[in-house]
Amino acid sequence: MIIVLKPSATEEDIAHIVDRVTGVGLSPFVKRGTERTIIGVVGDERLLASVPVSAFSGVETALPILSPYKLVSREFKQEDTVIDVEGVVIGGNRLVVMAGPCSVETSDSLLSVAEHVKAAGARILRGGAFKPRTSPYAFQGLGMEGLEYLSRAKEKTGLPIITEVMDPRDIPTMVKHADILQIGARNMQNFRLLSEVGTCSKPVMLKRGLSATIKEFLLSAEYILAAGNHRVILCERGIRTFETATRNTLDLSAVPVLKSLSHLPVIVDPSHAVGKTALVAPMAKAAVAAGADGLMIEVHENPEEALCDGEQALLPKALTALMSELRQIAHAVGRDL
Amino acid sequence: MIIVLKPSATEEDIAHIVDRVTGVGLSPFVKRGTERTIIGVVGDERLLASVPVSAFSGVETALPILSPYKLVSREFKQEDTVIDVEGVVIGGNRLVVMAGPCSVETSDSLLSVAEHVKAAGARILRGGAFKPRTSPYAFQGLGMEGLEYLSRAKEKTGLPIITEVMDPRDIPTMVKHADILQIGARNMQNFRLLSEVGTCSKPVMLKRGLSATIKEFLLSAEYILAAGNHRVILCERGIRTFETATRNTLDLSAVPVLKSLSHLPVIVDPSHAVGKTALVAPMAKAAVAAGADGLMIEVHENPEEALCDGEQALLPKALTALMSELRQIAHAVGRDL
Amino acid sequence: MIIVLKPSATEEDIAHIVDRVTGVGLSPFVKRGTERTIIGVVGDERLLASVPVSAFSGVETALPILSPYKLVSREFKQEDTVIDVEGVVIGGNRLVVMAGPCSVETSDSLLSVAEHVKAAGARILRGGAFKPRTSPYAFQGLGMEGLEYLSRAKEKTGLPIITEVMDPRDIPTMVKHADILQIGARNMQNFRLLSEVGTCSKPVMLKRGLSATIKEFLLSAEYILAAGNHRVILCERGIRTFETATRNTLDLSAVPVLKSLSHLPVIVDPSHAVGKTALVAPMAKAAVAAGADGLMIEVHENPEEALCDGEQALLPKALTALMSELRQIAHAVGRDL
Amino acid sequence: MIIVLKPSATEEDIAHIVDRVTGVGLSPFVKRGTERTIIGVVGDERLLASVPVSAFSGVETALPILSPYKLVSREFKQEDTVIDVEGVVIGGNRLVVMAGPCSVETSDSLLSVAEHVKAAGARILRGGAFKPRTSPYAFQGLGMEGLEYLSRAKEKTGLPIITEVMDPRDIPTMVKHADILQIGARNMQNFRLLSEVGTCSKPVMLKRGLSATIKEFLLSAEYILAAGNHRVILCERGIRTFETATRNTLDLSAVPVLKSLSHLPVIVDPSHAVGKTALVAPMAKAAVAAGADGLMIEVHENPEEALCDGEQALLPKALTALMSELRQIAHAVGRDL
């Protein structure tokens, strides 16, 4: 940490800061410049995490030098994390497509769409049993019944299941049905839920919050790793900006940024980012070109009748067509699909 | 709802839409213009909430006319909601100041600060027992022990307690200690938690999420009212923008907007919005001038030693000084403090 | 336009609005619903552009139905606009890469980089003679001298020139040297400058403003077309968001959105969007996958010595390597490079 | 400046950086920590403004310590800047209200509103002769004729005039009519215009750009001071955020932040920030409570007939009512009105 002092800082201020820094076990050094005096701190500045240095008398700003996360960082672990989900490898050279309906509706419709997306080349089945909805009056998911349907679809198709968990109390049941637990964007900073899935034996896909910086996103992932679960997948799904032409703004530069800062795999969800069917395919292709390790795409056989997010669902045949384009782009960037 | 059709929409498209709208029990009317045909929908358009109208063939956009929330709206209830918390009235002509430390640290320090803020004129004591922290390595609060300290401070000072609830599993214990349950910004769309506090007998203060629109904020409040708890207080605490000079950007125009759309009381938390002690007082004063029903302010006797958010805490004497300015501004806008 | 009335609107309010709408030559119709009365307006609602309908007594909101721009829209002109710049075609099946230094520095260095980017496959040379800089103390460009250097580089390499215009007074000179006039992001709503380049004989590349919605972006393009110059190229170059890991956030979904709303070609500038060399290539590839008609990329032979934006410049050999990847992605999406 | 090196930085990297820093006349020092080596720079780091340090081999980040602006800063000039405009003092203890129509429409209507706002207590008359409009089809102002009307209104009422300048070519005429030149939000980074008004003898009011950080805002003001004109007034008028309930989001915390960083007076324009008449008064009051040196408020005698921004105009009688509340709030914060 570099502590920049105000021009008005006194010798007492300096002595006091040096004292406090030394007190937490770090080594400060003082450098007096022509316009500002600075105090540098050598050592693991995370020890200062709970010290409000910028509130100290004489301090103008305190600039951290190290990233506040550790276990998720490339520095901590240089090689890419590769996660094996029932034989489907995420984070390796071959990309993975997770597809399926926004929410599980009936056992039959789920099975039918599962077979379609499998035929198209998707290797993981998505489907929400518990749905976080902005309005209390919107369809909230089938709950436990939906989990049963997902298990049945897995049995028939062999596709591993990813589904969202919203409440720590549901976890014991969910881990019996899901192969990947998804934490949604709105729960990215539901720290209790993060800690709880951190003690699970199942991999977790963590979606970026609507207004989460990349640093906050990685800190939320750190919660899960710090609790013991190192099988975490990051998912960029659009951030909130002033633009209203799309549901959110897909931040594709987050893909190479996350890949450089962290060893965790990065998936992109273009469906929720754009919110409109016609924009899903171009953004899916762009995500692969940008270096994503995979995609999560909403597919529905009859979007008009979908109980949730029909506006952004692809028809199964559109997924099939998209897959062949994605494969060519994957090859162009040295990957497989 | 007004459904605007594309110039390319066919008669089949129109017939199909009219059919679907009629199917949910609403009355459509078709108006053919020179450049666009529109289909208007008469009746409670919330019936269309789960129908992805904008995904229908021939549809360009679907413009809702009614607000998606109901119980929280001024239209539903014209007079201001006034909430009595152990004799302290929130939402009436007299403003309320909630003050205290970010997190409960020791029983003694809490008691001391409670006596100070009471003497300054604050009428509710705030203090976090469970703390949502961006980093897993930061102090997470004293938990249940903190709740005990809060109860003791209430006993000694008579100040009702507001404290944050983060997990549905904690609620049964929390309602024994807290007079107001606070839902933090990061949990504004933790819908399970919202529904759960909606079944409690205690008032709830709901903080606006960092990137929540006012519409989403009110919909989250609607979750609580829809579950049966009508004693909800709204709290503006800053939104996330591109500006980094302050921790967040305090959106004070939200105060008159919320007061016009909803009957619920509106509190402003300048401390979390600005994140810097020196900016708390001007923003507290501005909030009162803008029409807020009260303030939530962080106070600590020794901000340097605070385990949480010391950068933004006021000293007790600064609160005392601020209160007299606030009182004058309250009078200027026809209120009392 | 759909005018939604407040529940409290009176018959006088309705009569008055109907009167005003009729007064500008449009036909209103009134529809009384159970919760709201609406007044629809048939005809070209742009006639209401200067009428503050939402300020009328009894009005809750006024929802426009038509887009406020016309000449730039797909509805006005269905086929793609294709612009021939000295034999280089922009907006056709073959993509175009514009490359060169951020700012023109010396005649020799410009010529050298021009030869390199030409060899790599770029077909237009970029280089700033007039530089808009955030700080008055930063290098402001060589001005007229820079224009001379650009002309010389064109003479030697045959590459057409694109350079930025900042001031209406410079236009007469600039049109002698530049083949495409660029309007920078910070001048996207410098309406005088837009009108002025609208009377020029040279094509104009208009960059999206940092906080411009797509609607505002197209309205600024409309200024140029309305003044008579229909050869306009749109350029997405990143928008301002809360994220600080990148200089700006590249909004790639703007590419398919703009291509659907407008007939104008769309270029992406990944260099300014991300601001870091290592992120330029992934975003350039993503832009092509998303359907862009071309790219603008900053190249410098010695980024460390660059007088401007060295942090984001590619070395010439990096451009060469990137071009072959871009070509494969172009083929994957049915384009050529 | 503090240069933080990557763990992988070599001794050659360090030597090279030290060399470059020394080369521009600054003194570097190297500090090797356990996790990172840092290179500190002593002296006026603005000398490094054009050196892309973060692009150097081995560099992770380069953290500036000093603010990039100088003349506008409190450090440069500690006492508040007070500007006398024809006898009206801006920046002193007494607040100033600038009021008038968005755009000048007729000589009679301007004169009438001028007399009204003067009677209400406004001391400067605003009115746009040249109007920057998002759409080319909206009313663009009366131009030179509007300036004549403003001069006539000044003659009759004695109120000094503030009006917007959009084009450097108009300045010679404008300085004959205007007492304060206004630079609008959309031109905040029209650097040519800034430099040009920097050579004028008239005070300049600079409005904050829609997505300008406070640092960028102050750098734009620095352009004007650096060109010789030290009579600059800053104006906060709302920033662009994701919220759509208001036209923009008024960032009132910018007021105390600007007052602490700079010696220049700070005015707030609530009308453009909120865009709705009903919200103007609460935000005007909040601005005074937050410490603004004055307000700019749009007033129109018949908002329904206004050629521009009728949605946000106050009636003259509403201004009169507001003034008395503002006066009380001014007194509460130790100011006069």
Side-chain angles (χ1 to χ4, degrees), chain D residues 35-311:
Chain D
E35 303 206 33
R36 287 283 189 288
T37 292
I38 62 166
I39 299 176
V41 177
V42 177
D44 184 353
E45 69 191 33
R46 292 181 195 94
L47 295 168
L48 285 169
S50 290
V51 182
V53 179
S54 61
F56 282 31
S57 174
V59 173
E60 190 167 282
T61 40
L63 305 164
I65 285 180
L66 302 178
S67 62
Y69 43 80
K70 189 162 186 168
L71 305 174
V72 300
S73 73
R74 272 271 176 221
E75 257 175 76
F76 181 77
K77 176 167 177 286
Q78 303 222 341
E79 67 280 12
D80 284 350
T81 285
V82 171
I83 297 170
D84 185 313
V85 182
E86 308 265 304
V88 177
V89 172
I90 302 175
N93 192 62
R94 187 171 173 207
L95 306 183
V96 65
V97 172
M98 309 175 177
C102 176
S103 68
V104 177
E105 297 172 1
T106 69
S107 187
D108 283 355
S109 66
L110 180 66
L111 188 57
S112 173
V113 81
E115 281 164 349
H116 270 114
V117 302
K118 183 182 179 183
R123 295 190 291 141
I124 291 179
L125 177 65
R126 68 148 287 151
F130 298 96
K131 296 299 307 171
R133 302 303 297 276
T134 305
S135 163
Y137 307 121
F139 173 62
Q140 309 274 323
L142 293 181
M144 294 302 167
E145 197 182 340
L147 294 179
E148 304 283 352
Y149 296 171
L150 284 165
S151 284
R152 236 176 280 166
K154 178 184 174 184
E155 216 170 276
K156 298 251 186 169
T157 61
L159 294 176
I161 299 298
I162 180 168
T163 195
E164 178 166 353
V165 55
M166 289 174 63
D167 190 324
R169 296 170 299 185
D170 297 337
I171 295 179
T173 309
M174 301 208 73
V175 294
K176 291 181 198 148
H177 298 275
D179 299 295
I180 306 175
L181 296 174
Q182 176 181 314
I183 304 279
R186 286 168 184 76
N187 279 317
M188 192 204 83
Q189 292 193 317
N190 183 339
F191 301 116
R192 288 294 192 88
L193 190 59
L194 297 178
S195 297
E196 204 84 14
V197 296
T199 65
C200 286
S201 58
K202 294 291 172 77
V204 175
M205 186 170 92
L206 177 67
K207 288 193 154 190
R208 182 180 183 186
L210 267 76
S211 60
T213 61
I214 283 175
K215 190 188 284 183
E216 291 167 342
F217 187 19
L218 289 173
L219 275 167
S220 283
E222 183 88 6
Y223 260 92
I224 305 173
L225 274 79
N229 188 346
H230 286 239
R231 299 201 295 163
V232 173
I233 302 156
L234 303 171
C235 178
E236 161 64 31
R237 44 77 73 214
I239 57 174
R240 179 150 281 179
T241 70
F242 61 84
E243 181 57 69
T244 55
T246 42
R247 184 172 174 175
N248 297 286
T249 298
L250 185 62
D251 176 13
L252 278 182
S253 54
V255 175
V257 170
L258 287 168
K259 297 293 290 179
S260 75
L261 296 175
S262 175
H263 51 84
L264 299 172
V266 178
I267 297 290
V268 170
D269 172 354
S271 307
H272 283 87
V274 297
K276 287 180 188 172
T277 301
L279 303 175
V280 172
M283 289 302 101
K285 290 183 266 183
V288 170
D293 295 306
L295 297 166
M296 168 170 262
I297 296 177
E298 289 191 359
V299 176
H300 198 282
E301 292 189 291
N302 186 356
E304 262 199 26
E305 301 287 343
L307 295 176
C308 167
D309 285 349
E311 299 85 349

Side-chain angles (χ1 to χ4, degrees), chain A:
Chain A
M1 178 175 281
I2 301 293
I3 302 165
V4 181
L5 302 187
K6 292 178 183 163
S8 60
T10 64
E11 287 304 315
E12 285 67 39
D13 290 337
I14 295 173
H16 176 69
I17 296 163
V18 164
D19 205 50
R20 285 296 303 271
V21 168
T22 312
V24 300
L26 297 172
S27 306
F29 67 89
V30 178
K31 190 83 196 178
R32 290 160 209 272
T34 48
E35 303 205 33
R36 286 287 188 286
T37 292
I38 63 167
I39 299 176
V41 177
V42 177
D44 184 354
E45 69 192 33
R46 291 181 196 95
L47 295 168
L48 286 169
S50 291
V51 182
V53 179
S54 60
F56 283 30
S57 174
V59 174
E60 189 166 284
T61 41
L63 306 164
I65 285 179
L66 302 178
S67 61
Y69 43 79
K70 188 163 186 169
L71 304 174
V72 301
S73 74
R74 273 269 176 223
E75 259 176 73
F76 181 76
K77 175 168 177 285
Q78 304 221 341
E79 65 281 11
D80 284 350
T81 284
V82 171
I83 297 171
D84 186 312
V85 182
E86 307 265 304
V88 176
V89 172
I90 302 176
N93 192 61
R94 188 172 172 204
L95 307 183
V96 64
V97 172
M98 309 174 176
C102 176
S103 67
V104 177
E105 297 173 0
T106 69
S107 187
D108 284 354
S109 66
L110 179 66
L111 188 57
S112 173
V113 81
E115 280 164 351
H116 270 114
V117 303
K118 184 183 180 183
R123 294 191 290 143
I124 290 178
L125 177 65
R126 68 147 287 152
F130 298 97
K131 296 300 307 172
R133 302 303 297 277
T134 305
S135 164
Y137 306 121
F139 173 62
Q140 309 273 323
L142 294 181
M144 293 302 168
E145 197 182 341
L147 293 179
E148 303 282 352
Y149 296 171
L150 284 165
S151 283
R152 237 176 279 166
K154 179 186 174 183
E155 214 171 279
K156 298 250 186 171
T157 61
L159 293 177
I161 299 298
I162 181 169
T163 195
E164 179 166 354
V165 55
M166 289 173 63
D167 190 325
R169 297 170 298 184
D170 297 337
I171 295 180
T173 310
M174 301 209 73
V175 293
K176 291 180 196 150
H177 297 276
D179 299 295
I180 307 176
L181 296 173
Q182 176 180 313
I183 304 279
R186 285 169 185 75
N187 279 316
M188 193 203 83
Q189 292 192 317
N190 182 338
F191 301 115
R192 287 295 192 86
L193 190 58
L194 297 178
S195 297
E196 203 85 14
V197 297
T199 65
C200 286
S201 57
K202 294 293 172 74
V204 175
M205 186 168 91
L206 178 66
K207 288 192 154 189
R208 183 180 182 185
L210 268 76
S211 61
T213 61
I214 284 176
K215 190 188 284 185
E216 291 167 341
F217 188 18
L218 289 173
L219 275 166
S220 283
E222 184 87 6
Y223 260 93
I224 305 173
L225 274 79
N229 189 347
H230 286 239
R231 298 200 296 163
V232 173
I233 302 156
L234 303 171
C235 179
E236 160 65 32
R237 45 76 73 211
I239 57 174
R240 179 150 281 178
T241 69
F242 60 83
E243 180 58 67
T244 55
T246 42
R247 183 171 175 176
N248 296 287
T249 298
L250 185 62
D251 176 12
L252 279 182
S253 53
V255 175
V257 170
L258 287 169
K259 298 292 290 181
S260 75
L261 296 175
S262 175
H263 51 83
L264 299 173
V266 178
I267 297 291
V268 170
D269 172 352
S271 307
H272 283 87
V274 297
K276 288 180 186 171
T277 302
L279 303 175
V280 172
M283 288 303 100
K285 290 184 267 182
V288 170
D293 295 308
L295 297 166
M296 169 170 261
I297 296 177
E298 289 190 359
V299 176
H300 198 282
E301 291 189 293
N302 186 358
E304 263 199 26
E305 300 287 346
L307 295 176
C308 166
D309 285 349
E311 300 85 350
Q312 67 200 33
L314 291 192
L315 287 168
K317 65 180 177 189
L319 179 66
T320 305
L322 174 59
M323 289 295 282
S324 85
E325 283 190 283
L326 293 177
R327 196 163 288 120
Q328 289 179 68
I329 294 173
H331 294 159
V333 296
R335 304 287 288 266
D336 218 341
L337 178 68

Side-chain angles (χ1 to χ4, degrees), chain B residues 218-298:
Chain B
L218 289 173
L219 275 167
S220 283
E222 183 88 6
Y223 260 93
I224 305 173
L225 274 79
N229 189 346
H230 286 238
R231 299 201 295 164
V232 173
I233 302 156
L234 303 171
C235 179
E236 161 64 31
R237 45 78 71 212
I239 57 173
R240 179 149 281 178
T241 69
F242 60 84
E243 180 58 68
T244 56
T246 42
R247 184 172 174 175
N248 297 286
T249 298
L250 185 62
D251 176 13
L252 279 182
S253 53
V255 175
V257 171
L258 287 168
K259 297 293 290 180
S260 75
L261 296 175
S262 174
H263 51 82
L264 298 172
V266 178
I267 298 291
V268 171
D269 171 353
S271 307
H272 283 87
V274 297
K276 288 179 188 173
T277 301
L279 304 175
V280 172
M283 289 302 101
K285 290 184 268 183
V288 171
D293 295 306
L295 296 167
M296 168 170 262
I297 296 178
E298 289 189 359

Side-chain angles (χ1 to χ4, degrees), chain B residues 72-149:
Chain B
V72 300
S73 73
R74 272 273 175 219
E75 257 176 75
F76 181 77
K77 175 169 178 285
Q78 304 222 341
E79 67 280 10
D80 285 348
T81 285
V82 172
I83 297 170
D84 185 312
V85 182
E86 308 265 305
V88 177
V89 172
I90 302 175
N93 191 61
R94 187 171 172 205
L95 306 184
V96 64
V97 172
M98 309 175 177
C102 176
S103 67
V104 177
E105 296 172 1
T106 68
S107 187
D108 284 355
S109 66
L110 180 65
L111 188 57
S112 173
V113 80
E115 280 163 350
H116 270 112
V117 304
K118 184 182 179 184
R123 295 190 291 142
I124 290 179
L125 177 65
R126 66 147 289 151
F130 299 97
K131 296 299 307 173
R133 302 303 297 275
T134 306
S135 164
Y137 307 121
F139 174 62
Q140 309 274 322
L142 294 181
M144 294 302 168
E145 198 182 340
L147 294 179
E148 303 283 351
Y149 296 171

